[in-house]
Amino acid sequence: MSDTSQNRENKPIIGISIGDFNGIGPEVVIKALNDNRMLRHLTPVIYADGRVISFYRKQLDLQNFTYNQTKSVENIHQRKVNVLNLNEQEIEITPGEAQKSGGDYAIASLRRALQDLKAGRLDALATAPLSKEMVQSDDFKFPGHTEFLTQEDGATDSLMFLVAEGLRVGVVTGHIPLKDVAQAVTQERIDTKLNLMIKSLKKDFGIKKPRIAVLGLNPHAGENGLLGEEEEKIISPTIKSFKDKGHLVFGPYPADGFFGTNQFRSFDGILAMYHDQGLIPFKNMAFDTGVNFTAGLSFIRTSPDHGTGFPIAGKGEASETSMRNAIYMAADIFKNRTEHQ
């Protein structure tokens, strides 16, 4: 519960980091918050500058979009969209062009929002997309949001959890080269990710006895050792250990048939072995609606399931649905956690 809870009118305060201002982040944030119905359920705080919001409001011809500018969360307006000014000196916005300035600004926004989140002034954080390449510096050497926030939280591990209506997919290995995946798939790692998924499904999504499917690593889930040994030696024994403890964990399933035959609809969560195995089917079914949730942290962080979209930035073509869902989900998870404390 945040320090500002007594003044919130029972609405969670959701911080929103703006991401790369040359990408579609500002556009999808503005479009998502341009729906006043959202303000009935939560109070949004965008970490940016009035200059950035004003630029895209004009660029997108959304002059009816109004907001309250502030220098601190303590002075936000509970019934308006709030923009917490970062007061960065140099801002040159070039939509569609990947620039180091856009990456630096994205990190400045993220760090300021995280500061307020850690201090209890926010209830959750929704992050707009940043460029993994443009954010790299001596002070930021992470593949993306997930790894940075996990370290900042002091957590030993976290779970990249892609969530949409009727579909929740987590991954054992995330942003690592494909050639390193097999070595990284260990019983210990699968055990950790399964525990994170089970706890999150219960605490964050209110599912008392979740059913979880575990995918195999190899084609046809190894074909009884013919196409690989990881299923028999690593994955299946781990699944058995969870079953022995009374958890509803099943598999390993061949990934292609599992999604191709709609078997996934019978489960509350799906654990994939590597990034593309889980994210390709997920994004094929829910690219415009899905949310990336970082499970296992002490605080709540969501984001849209897409990237910076530089080719369409500033053109008014980006769909705000995933960003809107990310903001709503942050509020919903906060309420679920509060109710189950």
Side-chain angles (χ1 to χ4, degrees), residues 147 149-158 196 294-299:
E147 295 81 3
L149 293 170
T150 301
Q151 177 176 296
E152 286 293 308
D153 190 42
T156 54
D157 208 340
S158 63
L196 288 170
T294 307
L297 303 182
S298 64
F299 52 73

Side-chain angles (χ1 to χ4, degrees), residues 222-241:
E223 199 78 80
N224 296 318
L226 183 66
L227 301 176
E229 298 180 333
E230 286 82 3
E231 284 75 15
E232 290 188 336
K233 291 186 175 181
I234 298 171
I235 303 174
S236 291
T238 309
I239 292 171
K240 183 179 184 302
S241 72

Side-chain angles (χ1 to χ4, degrees), residues 34-149:
N34 201 35
D35 184 345
N36 287 330
R37 289 175 296 182
M38 186 172 280
L39 298 177
R40 300 174 194 167
H41 305 285
L42 55 93
T43 299
V45 184
I46 307 171
Y47 285 75
D49 280 88
R51 291 170 290 175
V52 175
I53 305 303
S54 178
F55 176 92
Y56 278 100
R57 183 174 68 171
K58 184 176 180 181
Q59 184 89 0
L60 302 168
D61 194 24
L62 292 173
Q63 298 302 325
N64 290 331
F65 179 72
T66 60
Y67 52 92
N68 171 58
Q69 293 196 64
T70 181
K71 293 182 179 179
S72 69
V73 180
E74 284 83 358
N75 296 322
I76 61 174
H77 196 296
Q78 294 289 330
R79 300 181 185 180
K80 291 183 179 180
V81 174
N82 297 275
V83 175
L84 193 146
N85 281 299
L86 301 179
N87 296 318
E88 294 291 307
Q89 298 301 315
E90 298 292 328
I91 296 180
E92 185 178 350
I93 304 170
T94 53
E97 296 182 22
Q99 303 280 358
K100 190 68 173 65
S101 58
D104 291 343
Y105 192 88
I107 297 305
S109 172
L110 177 61
R111 288 190 187 278
R112 181 64 193 279
L114 184 60
Q115 180 183 330
D116 283 340
L117 185 65
K118 284 182 171 182
R121 292 186 284 267
L122 300 174
D123 294 314
L125 173 65
T127 62
L130 50 71
S131 165
K132 292 177 174 59
E133 180 184 359
M134 291 300 121
V135 298
Q136 299 304 314
S137 70
D138 290 339
D139 296 327
F140 193 94
K141 296 180 179 179
F142 299 90
H145 281 108
T146 303
E147 295 81 3
F148 169 69
L149 293 170

Side-chain angles (χ1 to χ4, degrees), residues 215-216 218-221 253-264 274 277 281:
L215 303 182
N218 299 294
H220 306 288
Y253 294 99
D256 54 354
F258 180 80
F259 288 106
T261 60
N262 288 329
Q263 216 170 348
F264 69 90
Y274 58 94
Q277 184 188 52

